């Protein structure tokens, strides 16, 4: 792709680094910004800079937040005895959009994957186990994707907390095997949360 301007070329190259954005799409976006008032581009760039510099991760659940404790964890109306364990922040957003879950979350930051070099110590598992041992938690819901890595992560955590007096459940398999939560429709995901099943059944029946 030839450019008549090095400035445009650099902007397109940077824009195309975003997921799902190819060079042609990046060029359309850059040319669109070029047509807008300068203030609009300034607002966009400033918003991105502020997000990158000021965003925080909740000290309790590891979700993204503007403050040390996110709005969900700080909400006294939420059920703090029930924790939904998810892979990343996109899953929190997906479940929240269903309006069916009133507990709190714990974001692992990934899944155990030896092939990719991701082990338990690289995820937010130890802090979850500490919460489970605090005596303030009555149920932990596994809401990881139905993949080998997701199942491995679920089982690893389960072994860490199996001796505790806590109900351990997993979302119903309304989510197809191999699917990611963020791509599930809200009704299916909501029903999967509501009709969760005891985690022991998922491996004792295999």
């Amino acid at each position: 792709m030839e450019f008549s301007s090095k400035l445009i070329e650099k902007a397109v190259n940077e824009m195309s680094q975003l997921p799902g954005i190819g060079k042609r799409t990046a060029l359309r976006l850059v040319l669109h910004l070029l047509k807008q008032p300068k203030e609009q581009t300034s607002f966009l760039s400033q918003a991105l800079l502020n997000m990158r510099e000021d965003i925080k991760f909740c000290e309790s659940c590891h979700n993204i937040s503007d403050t040390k404790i996110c709005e969900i964890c700080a909400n006294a109306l939420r059920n703090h005895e029930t924790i939904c364990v998810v892979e990343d922040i996109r899953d929190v957003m997906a479940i929240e959009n269903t309006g069916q879950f009133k507990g709190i979350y714990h974001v692992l930051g990934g899944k155990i994957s030896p092939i990719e070099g991701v082990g338990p110590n690289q995820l937010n598992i130890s802090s979850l186990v500490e919460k489970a041992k605090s005596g303030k938690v009555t149920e932990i819901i596994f809401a990881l994707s139905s993949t080998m890595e997701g199942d491995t992560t679920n089982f690893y955590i389960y072994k860490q907390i199996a001796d505790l007096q806590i109900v351990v459940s997993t979302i119903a398999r309304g989510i197809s095997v191999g699917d990611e939560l963020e791509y599930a429709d809200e009704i299916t995901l909501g029903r999967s949360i509501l009709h969760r099943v005891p985690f022991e059944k998922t491996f004792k029946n295999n």
Side-chain angles (χ1 to χ4, degrees):
M1 186 177 290
E2 296 293 329
F3 297 91
S4 59
S5 165
K6 292 295 182 183
L7 294 173
I8 292 291
E9 182 178 3
K10 184 176 180 180
V12 168
N13 288 337
E14 292 300 323
M15 190 77 76
S16 64
Q17 300 300 312
L18 296 172
I21 303 295
K23 286 289 181 69
R24 292 186 182 278
T25 301
L27 177 59
R28 285 199 297 271
L29 293 172
V30 168
L31 292 178
H32 172 76
L33 289 173
L34 197 59
K35 293 178 182 178
Q36 304 304 305
K38 288 185 178 181
E39 293 80 3
Q40 187 65 42
T41 305
S42 297
F43 293 151
L44 173 61
S45 60
Q46 191 59 52
L48 292 173
L49 284 173
N50 290 343
M51 175 196 69
R52 196 65 187 89
E53 293 176 0
D54 299 333
I55 201 73
K56 297 177 177 63
F57 290 92
C58 177
E59 294 180 355
S60 179
C61 73
H62 310 288
N63 189 20
I64 54 173
S65 176
D66 294 339
T67 54
K68 290 184 178 181
I69 300 297
C70 72
E71 292 183 359
I72 295 175
C73 288
N75 188 345
L77 298 178
R78 306 286 297 216
N79 178 6
H80 287 249
E81 295 182 352
T82 301
I83 297 177
C84 184
V85 180
V86 297
E87 179 183 349
D88 62 32
I89 57 178
R90 292 171 297 181
D91 299 329
V92 174
M93 296 176 181
I95 295 173
E96 281 297 284
N97 284 338
T98 70
Q100 298 297 322
F101 181 65
K102 302 304 179 183
I104 58 175
Y105 297 90
H106 187 91
V107 181
L108 295 177
K111 295 173 289 192
I112 295 173
S113 177
I115 295 178
E116 296 180 4
V118 179
N121 293 334
Q122 294 168 276
L123 304 176
N124 299 318
I125 293 178
S126 59
S127 56
L128 173 62
V129 174
E130 288 178 12
K131 289 179 186 177
K133 292 180 177 179
S134 70
K136 300 178 181 178
V137 178
T138 59
E139 182 180 9
I140 288 180
I141 306 168
F142 292 139
L144 274 62
S145 55
S146 303
T147 61
M148 182 178 296
E149 292 82 5
D151 291 343
T152 298
T153 306
N154 286 341
F155 188 71
Y156 178 87
I157 297 172
Y158 173 76
K159 296 297 288 184
Q160 305 299 307
I161 61 177
D163 295 334
L164 303 177
Q165 298 299 312
I166 295 176
V167 174
V168 182
S169 58
T170 184
I171 58 175
R173 296 298 186 181
I175 308 300
S176 302
V177 174
D179 281 358
E180 301 291 343
L181 292 191
E182 63 175 305
Y183 300 121
D185 67 272
E186 294 176 6
I187 294 176
T188 300
L189 182 54
R191 287 175 176 170
S192 294
I193 291 287
L194 289 177
H195 301 295
R196 55 188 180 272
V197 297
F199 178 69
E200 293 93 331
K201 289 186 177 180
T202 65
F203 60 86
K204 287 183 178 179
N205 293 334
N206 291 336

